[in-house]
């Protein structure tokens, strides 16, 4: 699964495409939000990688929701489109399908997705459930330093254990994700679990119920450093959902 911004400069798009190429060479299929930018680049690169490996049944899965699909049509590479009823179901679909997740630089929506994922990974029952890699070109090193500083300030030093940062090294990302996926496959075989859906992942009810970012709902968000880290990450995710609604979505 690849996440990232839809409005990105050319060097970031090319990097995302090169990462997709490395994944395609290693026989990996791609799931994204099905739009443009960092959602299209990995699919386009993977298509070339699959072609070089004579893989004719590569899957490029796009997962969207009504508020997004009406304003942004799927990119031309998507060959399987899923439209979920709301953003929470869409995010859950990503993590249930994922064998590993790559995050490219993005805006407030990308940070919302990261916090949603960390609120799941930091749940005591989900440790080491999904390998997570943050990556981008060398020009984005400062972005990831700032993102990591924010995550550590909010969630503590232990948050570093849940992700890996790889900057400016497409091949290294390909090696890391292929190895992580192999480990996931071994674990799922040992546990007699399906490859296509992560049944064992524990997702709290508050992450499954739609959060509508009204003024009242935003004011009611509980933000306390004393909260369990997974609950604090979930609350921060709601904050960023409000930022997305106020800055990106029409009704906001």
């Amino acid at each position: 699964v690849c996440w990232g911004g839809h409005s990105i400069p050319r060097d970031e798009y090319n990097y995302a495409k090169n990462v997709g190429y490395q994944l395609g060479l290693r026989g990996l299929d791609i799931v994204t939000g099905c739009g443009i930018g960092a959602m299209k680049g990995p699919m386009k690169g993977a298509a070339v990688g699959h072609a070089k490996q004579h893989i004719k049944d590569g899957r490029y899965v796009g997962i969207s929701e009504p508020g997004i699909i009406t304003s942004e049509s799927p990119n031309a590479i998507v060959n399987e489109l899923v439209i979920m009823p709301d953003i929470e179901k869409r995010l859950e679909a990503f993590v249930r399908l994922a064998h590993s997740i790559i995050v490219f630089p993005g805006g407030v929506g990308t940070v919302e997705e990261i916090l949603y994922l960390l609120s799941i990974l930091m749940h005591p029952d989900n440790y080491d459930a999904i390998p997570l890699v943050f990556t981008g070109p060398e020009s984005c090193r400062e972005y990831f330093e700032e993102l990591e500083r924010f995550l550590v300030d909010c969630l503590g030093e232990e948050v570093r254990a849940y992700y890996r940062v790889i900057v400016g090294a497409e091949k290294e990302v390909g090696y890391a994700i292929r190895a992580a996926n192999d480990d996931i496959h071994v674990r799922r075989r040992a546990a007699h679990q399906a490859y296509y859906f992560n049944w064992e992942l524990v997702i709290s009810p508050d992450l499954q119920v739609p959060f509508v970012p009204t003024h009242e709902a935003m004011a009611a968000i509980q933000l306390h450093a004393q909260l369990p880290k997974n609950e604090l990450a979930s609350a921060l995710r709601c904050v960023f959902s409000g930022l997305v609604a106020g800055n990106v979505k029409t009704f906001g």
Side-chain angles (χ1 to χ4, degrees):
V1 169
C2 298
W3 287 342
H6 66 276
S7 181
I8 58 175
R10 172 58 63 176
D11 67 320
E12 292 182 28
Y13 175 78
N14 288 339
Y15 182 86
K17 187 167 66 173
N18 290 337
V19 168
Y21 174 68
Q22 295 297 328
L23 300 177
L25 287 177
R26 292 163 176 81
L28 298 173
D29 295 320
I30 307 294
V31 182
T32 76
C34 85
I36 57 175
M39 291 170 278
K40 179 183 178 183
M43 288 185 167
K44 191 169 184 179
V48 177
H50 286 158
K52 286 193 174 182
Q53 296 288 10
H54 302 284
I55 297 171
K56 303 187 187 307
D57 56 353
R59 302 178 70 184
Y60 315 104
V61 182
I63 304 177
S64 191
E65 54 99 17
I68 295 174
I69 202 74
T70 53
S71 60
E72 187 175 85
S73 59
N75 68 65
I77 319 267
V78 172
N79 60 12
E80 297 181 48
L81 176 64
V82 183
I83 303 177
M84 304 302 289
D86 55 57
I87 192 69
E88 281 73 17
K89 306 298 185 301
R90 178 182 184 237
L91 290 171
E92 181 175 352
F94 280 125
V95 298
R96 293 286 190 187
L97 286 179
H99 291 185
S100 54
I101 294 180
I102 298 172
V103 180
F104 298 99
V108 286
T110 301
V111 180
E112 179 190 1
E113 292 171 339
I114 291 170
L115 289 166
Y116 175 90
L117 178 57
L118 287 174
S119 68
I120 293 172
L121 296 182
M122 298 185 84
H123 189 285
D125 295 332
N126 291 330
Y127 182 74
D128 206 26
I130 303 174
L132 171 60
V133 171
F134 298 152
T135 191
E138 190 61 41
S139 60
C140 294
R141 184 175 294 277
E142 188 176 345
Y143 169 89
F144 288 114
E145 290 173 353
E146 198 65 35
L147 173 64
E148 187 165 48
R149 188 177 301 120
F150 169 74
L151 294 176
V152 170
D153 284 349
C154 293
L155 302 173
E157 284 289 338
E158 61 266 35
V159 74
R160 297 179 191 268
Y162 295 92
Y163 61 82
R164 180 179 174 189
V165 180
I166 301 174
V167 177
E170 302 97 323
K171 285 187 178 181
E172 188 177 346
V173 175
Y175 291 136
I177 294 297
R178 178 71 264 180
N181 278 21
D182 290 343
D183 289 343
I184 290 291
H185 293 174
V186 169
R187 283 162 50 183
R188 296 222 183 150
R189 282 196 297 271
H192 303 288
Q193 290 291 326
Y195 289 142
Y196 57 82
F197 193 88
N198 193 340
W199 294 98
E200 293 186 323
L201 204 63
V202 176
I203 299 181
S204 304
D206 61 299
L207 294 174
Q208 297 178 315
V209 176
F211 175 78
V212 182
T214 61
H215 287 286
E216 294 75 21
M218 294 294 288
I221 296 173
Q222 299 298 309
L223 287 174
H224 304 293
Q226 293 73 30
L227 287 172
K229 299 304 183 185
N230 62 300
E231 294 180 18
L232 180 55
S234 180
L236 285 167
R237 174 251 153 181
C238 292
V239 171
F240 275 84
S241 182
L243 293 174
V244 172
N247 291 282
V248 179
K249 294 188 177 178
T250 306
F251 79 87

